[in-house]
Amino acid sequence: MSVGVVCPGSFDPITLGHLDVIERAAARFDRVVVAVLDNPRKSALFTADERIAMIEAETAALDNVEVDRFEGLLVDLCRDRGIGIICKGLRAVSDFEYELQMAQMNQRIGGVETIFLSTAPEHSYLSSSLVKEVARYGGPIDGTVPAAVAAALVAKLGG
Ligand code: PNS
């Protein structure tokens, strides 16, 4: 039996923490769909096309990973792709409360299960928002995002 998972997120932009979770999911499941939320009501630094292009470039070597965009409910994307498992990274206990709520809601409204991979300790402090804040003020972001993403951040934000 082939088992696929969806790794969802805003990925604005993808960090090394996201990439680690995607790579570990790809090593354990037959198919990984990275689902990029394209939410017109949420202002993102990078367009959905830019975010998708960055993820595609970083996951190009992983044959079982594909990148998809979605608007609306994640469970609808799961249903359309025929995947019944969401896979997410958990950084800390502070993530857990909201993640648990989302997992329970997605189970209820779509019958979709959520599994969590513990984030690698070296990435547990990382978030796209913090990386953008550091980049915005010209701080060092090496080791937080892939090199090409760091270059895109600098190009977008200066620094
Ligand atoms: O990277 P993020 O912003 O933490 O990702 C959050 C995301 C995209 C996984 C979450 O906001 C989501 O699934 N949004 C889609 C809307 C949805 O399905 N909401 C109900 C979930 S309970």
Side-chain angles (χ1 to χ4, degrees):
M1 188 180 72
S2 162
V3 180
V5 296
V6 171
C7 290
S10 302
F11 302 108
D12 185 41
I14 188 166
T15 68
L16 291 180
H18 292 132
L19 204 49
D20 176 58
V21 169
I22 293 166
E23 287 170 352
R24 284 159 57 205
R28 285 159 183 83
F29 296 96
D30 301 298
R31 178 183 177 210
V32 175
V33 174
V34 181
V36 179
L37 179 64
D38 183 7
N39 183 351
R41 279 169 296 142
K42 201 169 161 184
S43 66
L45 178 64
F46 292 99
T47 66
D49 285 342
E50 289 171 328
R51 287 178 274 146
I52 289 167
M54 286 188 274
I55 301 168
E56 281 176 343
E58 298 303 328
T59 59
L62 302 170
D63 291 340
N64 59 341
V65 174
E66 60 205 88
V67 187
D68 211 344
R69 99 179 46 209
F70 75 108
E71 289 177 37
L73 292 177
L74 180 58
V75 293
D76 291 339
L77 173 123
C78 292
R79 187 200 53 233
D80 293 347
R81 299 290 170 270
I83 294 177
I85 304 173
I86 295 164
C87 176
K88 301 190 84 174
L90 259 191
R91 287 171 297 195
V93 174
S94 51
D95 281 345
F96 184 71
E97 199 169 342
Y98 185 49
E99 291 295 344
L100 180 63
Q101 283 182 319
M102 284 197 285
Q104 290 171 327
M105 182 62 85
N106 286 326
Q107 216 296 324
R108 179 182 163 80
I109 65 177
V112 178
E113 301 293 350
T114 301
I115 60 164
F116 296 104
L117 297 183
S118 53
T119 300
E122 64 269 31
H123 298 136
S124 63
Y125 66 96
L126 265 183
S127 73
S128 301
S129 306
L130 275 185
V131 174
K132 281 183 286 192
E133 185 165 315
V134 173
R136 192 166 280 126
Y137 294 108
I141 52 168
D142 47 300
T144 64
V145 291
V149 174
L153 272 166
V154 171
K156 191 78 97 167
L157 294 170

